[in-house]
Amino acid sequence: MKSKIIFVVFVAFFAIATPIQASPNNQSNDELPCDVLKNAFVGTLFGSIGKVLSQYKDERQFRVDKMVEIKNLSSWGQYYWETTLKVTTFSGAHNPPYNHYTITFTNQNPEIQIKAIKVIQE
């Protein structure tokens, strides 16, 4: 009887003391949750980026090179922000000529607005 109790205590100790490494099945190890959120946020701005590019008669494909800055513009409970993105347009399979845009967006009004645009053409 004493050996059974020792065996149960021994098994319970190793069951509790063994570290468990769990990771979600749908998350790759090379992409962090904050990267996923950033990509999702930038993806919501694709329509607005397209509007800016059409204003400059640049209907080519584009990529967002970098999120330069994102700022919270409001206090707790409100969700106003301002973000600045670097965008590059290209022809074909990422071929030149390239145009580089630095675009600042804000959502202080009911819809996303363009606050500033800087264009560098090659």
Side-chain angles (χ1 to χ4, degrees):
M1 179 72 171
K2 187 176 181 182
S3 63
K4 287 183 182 180
I5 293 174
I6 292 174
F7 178 73
V8 169
V9 169
F10 183 74
V11 170
F13 173 76
F14 280 108
I16 293 171
T18 305
I20 299 173
Q21 291 183 333
S23 78
N25 293 335
N26 60 353
Q27 181 182 349
S28 66
N29 292 334
D30 58 343
E31 192 166 35
L32 299 173
C34 58
D35 292 334
V36 173
L37 290 174
K38 182 183 94 174
N39 292 339
F41 174 71
V42 169
T44 63
L45 296 173
F46 277 11
S48 299
I49 293 169
K51 288 178 186 176
V52 169
L53 298 178
S54 66
Q55 288 175 0
Y56 285 88
K57 308 272 190 274
D58 195 348
E59 301 293 334
R60 299 178 296 162
Q61 294 177 328
F62 67 88
R63 68 175 178 255
V64 176
D65 296 319
K66 183 178 179 183
M67 181 184 289
V68 177
E69 179 182 36
I70 186 165
K71 295 190 288 189
N72 184 13
L73 300 178
S74 59
S75 60
W76 186 83
Q78 296 176 330
Y79 303 101
Y80 299 124
W81 48 261
E82 180 179 296
T83 187
T84 303
L85 305 176
K86 283 195 173 185
V87 177
T88 301
T89 59
F90 52 87
S91 298
H94 302 272
N95 297 328
Y98 303 111
N99 288 347
H100 303 281
Y101 298 83
T102 303
I103 310 167
T104 302
F105 295 101
T106 185
N107 74 335
Q108 283 187 313
N109 292 321
E111 54 186 57
I112 296 173
Q113 292 187 331
I114 301 152
K115 189 169 181 181
I117 304 168
K118 179 182 174 187
V119 182
I120 300 171
Q121 297 181 342
E122 288 186 7

